[in-house]
Amino acid sequence: MSNPLSTEELNGIDAYWRAANYLSVGQIYLFDNPLLKVPLRKEHIKPRLLGHWGTTPGLNFVYAHLNRIIKKFDLSMMYITGPGHGGPGLVANTYLEGTYTEHYPSITQDEAGMQRLFKQFSFPGGIPSHVAPETPGSIHEGGELGYALSHAFGAAFDNPDLIVACIVGDGEAETGPLATSWHSNKFLNPIHDGVVLPILHLNGYKIANPTVLARISHEELDQLLRGYGYTPYYVEGDDPDKMHQQMASILDQVAHEIQQIKRQARENNDPTRPRWPMIVLRTPKGWTCPREIDGKQVEDNWRSHQVPMGEMHENPDHVRLLEQWMKSYQPAELFDEQGAPRQELTALVPHGERRMGANPHANGGQLLKSLCLPDFRDYAVIFSSPGSVKAEATRVQGKFIRDVMKANLPTRNFRIFSPDENASNRWGDVFEVTNRGFVGETLPGDDHISADGRVLEMLSEHQCQGWLEGYLLTGRHGFFNCYEAFIHIIDSMFNQHAKWLKVCNHIPWRQPLASLNYLLSSHVWRQDHNGFSHQDPGFIDHVVNKKANIIRVYLPPDANCLLSVTDHCLRSRNYVNVIVAGKQPGPQWLNIDEAIEHCIAGVSIWDWASNDHGDEPDVVLACCGDVPTLETLAAVDILRRVLPELKVRVINVVNLMKLQDPREHPHGLSDREFDIMFTTDKPIIFAFHGYPWLIHRLTYRRTNHKNLHVRGYKEEGTTTTPFDMVVLNDLDRFHLVEDVIDRVPKLGAKAAHIKQKLRNKLIEHKQYITEHGQDMPEIREWNWPQAEQ
Amino acid sequence: MSNPLSTEELNGIDAYWRAANYLSVGQIYLFDNPLLKVPLRKEHIKPRLLGHWGTTPGLNFVYAHLNRIIKKFDLSMMYITGPGHGGPGLVANTYLEGTYTEHYPSITQDEAGMQRLFKQFSFPGGIPSHVAPETPGSIHEGGELGYALSHAFGAAFDNPDLIVACIVGDGEAETGPLATSWHSNKFLNPIHDGVVLPILHLNGYKIANPTVLARISHEELDQLLRGYGYTPYYVEGDDPDKMHQQMASILDQVAHEIQQIKRQARENNDPTRPRWPMIVLRTPKGWTCPREIDGKQVEDNWRSHQVPMGEMHENPDHVRLLEQWMKSYQPAELFDEQGAPRQELTALVPHGERRMGANPHANGGQLLKSLCLPDFRDYAVIFSSPGSVKAEATRVQGKFIRDVMKANLPTRNFRIFSPDENASNRWGDVFEVTNRGFVGETLPGDDHISADGRVLEMLSEHQCQGWLEGYLLTGRHGFFNCYEAFIHIIDSMFNQHAKWLKVCNHIPWRQPLASLNYLLSSHVWRQDHNGFSHQDPGFIDHVVNKKANIIRVYLPPDANCLLSVTDHCLRSRNYVNVIVAGKQPGPQWLNIDEAIEHCIAGVSIWDWASNDHGDEPDVVLACCGDVPTLETLAAVDILRRVLPELKVRVINVVNLMKLQDPREHPHGLSDREFDIMFTTDKPIIFAFHGYPWLIHRLTYRRTNHKNLHVRGYKEEGTTTTPFDMVVLNDLDRFHLVEDVIDRVPKLGAKAAHIKQKLRNKLIEHKQYITEHGQDMPEIREWNWPQAEQ
């Protein structure tokens, strides 16, 4: 290994590292006396010590060295901190490079500013202890481990001149999502995508345990990383001078190799997947903190994970030890009398947007360009009367998405992510204009696969979500196309993204991002192949727990409504939009103008299906979701025939949040609007796509809630016919009619007769399907009576 | 490669394989004419074709060969089918070996039985198309991919004589959970655990895409698997005869190697991790189905993933092709005139419980032994009056768990699983009697780590959940100890386990299992270090959507209640028990006898905290969760001082499901009980641990719901003080008092004065924490007034 650093360079980079370490320790411990100008006393120390030291010196070490190669090779680089617990480190570095002060002018580069920097950390009214939206240069919180590499690759897609350095902690490396995300290199095009430089940081310990990858043999580790498709370079040790030389030497080599790979790919227009370089950095956990405290090993041990020593207000020895520790970084060499970093340090920092805290990709809203959108009306299903035409809603949507893809090919800022469900969910037409992206061997039987495809289909919801998040956070647009049941796999990732967006809304310098859009199809009611394990409509329950101003949920009843909703979602900013829509052929209810009007309203009375003629109805039949809408209209059809005197009002809900109180959600109907629509005292039979309790949770404050009766999925299902699925959950037309009869008081003797007929119908249904394996023709072929005119 | 099979053996195993394939195709397609005794007509074919062929012939191939080595070496073996879509294959094999008929006597081994076998598959009233609880020999549904290996290792722990063969599909291999689960070998003790034999089945395609692992070079694949710590053996090809010889040869070698490893470990008492063998099986997808259909490649292509050809009722060519395909297996050679499998086939099947469909571990309830439980009363926190003692609830629980562990060490049937949070969640005392399990290098600084430890701590919630499920499903007991926020990572795994349990409740031969127990600690209100990203109490919202008879949710207010609940959960069967409890020091309210009574009731009036003296109160203050209970009692303390005339009733809820309607949940209070307790017309201020809407969702049918006002977590938080967290969410004592004042009508002018004082208190609080970084002493040191007597 060569020693590329001159003595001066070595001293400089070490000084920078010590400064970052000093600032990190200061944030964790100090309330005052930031430069240790007077002897440290317990009054200078925070009353509550919160933060994580263990990973921080390693993160600072990497940051310092990346700055060097950024300057040397004039690189555009982002820094993704897998170990989000290293918050103090990233704050320290962005403070040193000046970006922190640019965003937070009161945190000046002087003694007073340093005191404020220290105090605010993990302090009420201050900043979180993790890397967070507040941290300049970050797109990644890291509080929940597992997604660093997925985010990094998401950022690199379509950013050919960007290098995303991604620190993977060895704790994080044990998670499932991280373990599979190494394979992202099979989806990265070396010509028109950027580069991800993974840096696996083996510091040996998690909270209280050794890590797996730090305790396998070098041989196995090397095989594993080569098996993932990388060429690992090792930087291992604890002697700072040697480590600086090693790291510099290897980064020179890696930067050179990356440039070669890129040049070769571009010059030869050859997207063959290279073996990308990566770095394995093995350092002691808590590197440079006291080796022992109170007779117990701390440096190079799990004990340095959080705050290496406490009891600062009770134990004067600890105060002395902290002072020694902080002075071991030689602060007087690092900061001038006023507390500003000395010129020798700041000279090592890249300029302007080359600083990682100022890289524009890390505040992606700055770079966001609106999508060029074709007119969604052009894709409308045309028909004469409700129910007269059948269509597969998501297939219609797919044609629109195809042309969105096509219109934005030149700007390369729209991608689709799906766990192998893009075609299954009926977006196959997209493959007329782009392919599935895969950077590897293709065979003659493959279907629309190439290295430049813009539909990424790895069978990992975690990857899809992580890539998409990284893509959005760096200022682009996308869609996640998923089976409804299995979107729960990323529940926790959704949480983190929603939390990130919520916080960003309060940070003025964070520019708005494109919304995270989900299409959930192959939904609970039409899992004909897959049965019970594929039936779960609960993601929306999960979503609505997050902050209302982030969350939007749409359940369009037909293709034209789906088009309108899709267009709206693609234009929106800073939301998570959840769209639930079926892929099976179904009747179409609204022409495109009606659909637009309905979607803008979010919830409407469907006059054409109602017979209350503007009067107060006897009963309200509400529906939300495509299958519940179908069953509701079929129930209305029955009611018209058997109880023509009954005044029925049909309401369809496309924007779920309209149901909620406007004090809870900005889309909520006012109480007056709600009362006019749903009445204040008439029975409401509500057929819902998901778990019925969600409707109660959203409407419990409404005047007429006591008369609200909801049908939905109640965890009954198996591999059976489509109609049997709704029967199993009492959501079918016959049960809905029975629900009406049970709740409308004046029907008298006739009611018992009708109910008996309905029950016979259900018995007939069960017998028929058990014999024939499919639904009765009268069920399969039912249509809205007007449609037959 | 040797050819170990004689011609007779080769012909036999091939015939067995063909029989399984024949039966699989029959299930997917045939309604009648199961033996093809008459020419196939469209009337013999099911009207709706549902199922998955692609993976099935490979699964059948493996099953046939495992039977051979089971017999040859007299092995106890289980078969875990990662590709759950191969349902027809597992049904076919268990039918051939006789276990299917033993469980389902109407599915006889004759023509009529075969017809029923075929018809029932993916048919209304029949069986699901996936491997499912209904399938003998399975503990794994596989509808959701990713957990096969985790389940396999969970099954192998503490079963030293068991070999778990685990088929990993190359689609599944792309998921995160599967990618990390290869590392399970670092937690498997070669002396006292069993063996997992992974068989990576590369059939090349997912639904519509190639798979990653089938498209990397042999070199990379080999490195990857060696990097995971295995010795891979390759069986690759498409010529059945050659493949049979290869597979037999390699299985002989693998079986031999496994026996050697086990012998070496046992004889030398040496738990050093060996390189376990594994198999890579590369076969065409849809192997043996027609090569082409309608001019398009089907065999060895993604088109064979589900039903290889449809339109059977419209296209007579397809009927002919199906007949040819099925006859290519030579059914007359396989089944006798009556339809029974010929003796040459059944002779290849192992005997009795050696049959994989009859292995008792796969119906673990059969083997389940109750835990030996110490008396939890012995661990009670002793005190004289409510609030007079502080304790860390989960630490007290940990002492009980320690002794549960100790008492059951001899039977080796209790384990704890945690993503490195066991000590953090205060169960550290467990390490007095066992260690953390890790089969690898240990270093001097390590804390209680050894190869025989019974606490498994990998930083992967997926692994913890998967291992625990496998452990429970094979008849043992366990606990998952997790941070509350990150249990969402396994939302979808929980779904699948809850669905499995729900279905098992309807299968008479499935014996009851120990419940899946969660301790969720480090909860939303006390994430002092970690802040917003670690705050999410929504897992219980997710859980309560599943079938009520499976789900139990407990929020004990103090340590003694936690002890009582824990004992109950460890005795229970076939539930998912969720316990949410804090780890921070908190006041103790109930002595152990009161705690038991309270936990049996699930919800009680706390007379000692109330001053309604059995009269109708003016207001009800209800609470659920430790922090809300604390704030509620502090609010009551204030109310007593400022409004001594106000009659307050305090209700604590420990069993959340008590709130629900008894028609919805078996634990639900009757309406009469609820009305007596919560009144029918007085304001209820409910302080809840989680999202407030959950309480509304559970109680919307209750008489007094209109007067229910719930406070809980509303997604407000950061790194701040404990009290500030409740303030941010309006759950603090001052807001609760204000809520009371706003809702009790008769308070008059005094109310405005009190409210002003409360608001001043909140301003004082904010000022104090911003200055001092911790809560005011009067908040930190508040105690229930009786405690000071």
Side-chain angles (χ1 to χ4, degrees), chain A residues 292-308:
Chain A
E292 282 195 358
I293 296 170
D294 303 334
K296 286 183 176 157
Q297 187 185 346
V298 176
E299 192 197 26
D300 202 14
N301 187 273
W302 52 270
R303 288 191 191 86
S304 65
H305 179 73
Q306 296 184 349
V307 179

Side-chain angles (χ1 to χ4, degrees), chain B residues 544-557:
Chain B
V544 298
N545 276 339
K546 289 288 166 285
K547 270 293 171 193
N549 57 351
I550 301 296
I551 297 312
R552 303 292 183 262
V553 181
Y554 301 98
L555 294 109

Side-chain angles (χ1 to χ4, degrees), chain B residues 17-36 40-53 56-57 60 87-89 91-93 95 107 111-123 127 288-290 306-309 312 321-329 331 334-335:
Chain B
W17 181 47
R18 285 185 281 124
N21 287 342
Y22 182 86
L23 293 170
S24 302
V25 182
Q27 288 176 77
I28 295 173
Y29 279 99
L30 293 195
F31 201 72
D32 205 348
N33 190 17
L35 289 166
L36 300 178
L40 191 64
R41 296 193 308 274
K42 64 182 180 182
E43 295 78 21
H44 301 141
I45 295 172
K46 298 184 184 187
R48 297 179 81 223
L49 300 176
L50 303 173
H52 293 84
W53 168 250
T56 301
N60 291 341
V91 170
N93 279 287
Y95 177 75
I107 309 294
E111 184 170 6
M114 194 188 292
Q115 188 267 335
R116 285 191 285 268
L117 179 82
F118 287 1
K119 182 188 163 186
Q120 68 166 5
F121 176 80
S122 252
F123 200 83
I127 61 167
T288 71
C289 82
Q306 296 183 351
V307 178
M309 66 183 162
M312 304 303 292
L321 195 54
L322 174 62
E323 189 172 30
Q324 278 170 27
W325 173 15
M326 292 192 71
K327 287 203 164 164
S328 75
Y329 299 122
L334 311 174
F335 304 98

Side-chain angles (χ1 to χ4, degrees), chain B residues 677-695:
Chain B
M677 200 171 268
F678 287 88
T679 81
T680 54
D681 58 354
K682 296 298 182 293
I684 308 167
I685 312 299
F686 198 122
F688 180 50
H689 172 85
Y691 293 106
W693 313 283
L694 178 55
I695 299 301

Side-chain angles (χ1 to χ4, degrees), chain A residues 644-705:
Chain A
E645 69 280 16
L646 194 74
K647 284 187 289 180
V648 174
R649 175 179 293 173
V650 176
I651 295 177
N652 185 268
V653 179
V654 59
N655 176 345
L656 191 66
M657 306 320 289
K658 283 282 168 183
L659 296 178
Q660 204 167 21
D661 192 302
R663 286 163 292 178
E664 300 278 356
H665 196 284
H667 282 186
L669 289 178
S670 72
D671 278 337
R672 189 179 145 73
E673 291 170 311
F674 195 95
D675 290 350
I676 289 172
M677 199 170 269
F678 287 90
T679 80
T680 55
D681 59 353
K682 295 299 181 293
I684 308 166
I685 311 298
F686 198 123
F688 180 50
H689 171 85
Y691 294 106
W693 313 283
L694 178 56
I695 300 300
H696 289 293
R697 167 208 188 300
L698 295 173
T699 59
Y700 66 87
R701 289 188 182 169
R702 301 297 190 175
T703 314
N704 198 19
H705 178 260

Side-chain angles (χ1 to χ4, degrees), chain A residues 47 207 420 491 528 535 772, chain B residues 47-48 207 420 491 499 772:
Chain A
I207 303 180
D420 197 23
D491 274 2
D528 309 0
Q535 292 163 357
H772 297 86
Chain B
R48 297 179 81 223
I207 304 180
D420 197 23
D491 275 1
K499 283 175 181 277
H772 296 88

Side-chain angles (χ1 to χ4, degrees), chain A residues 586-605:
Chain A
Q588 301 301 299
W589 309 113
L590 304 185
N591 68 42
I592 192 68
D593 292 329
E594 292 163 343
I596 294 168
E597 200 180 330
H598 182 47
C599 292
I600 289 171
V603 46
S604 318
I605 298 172

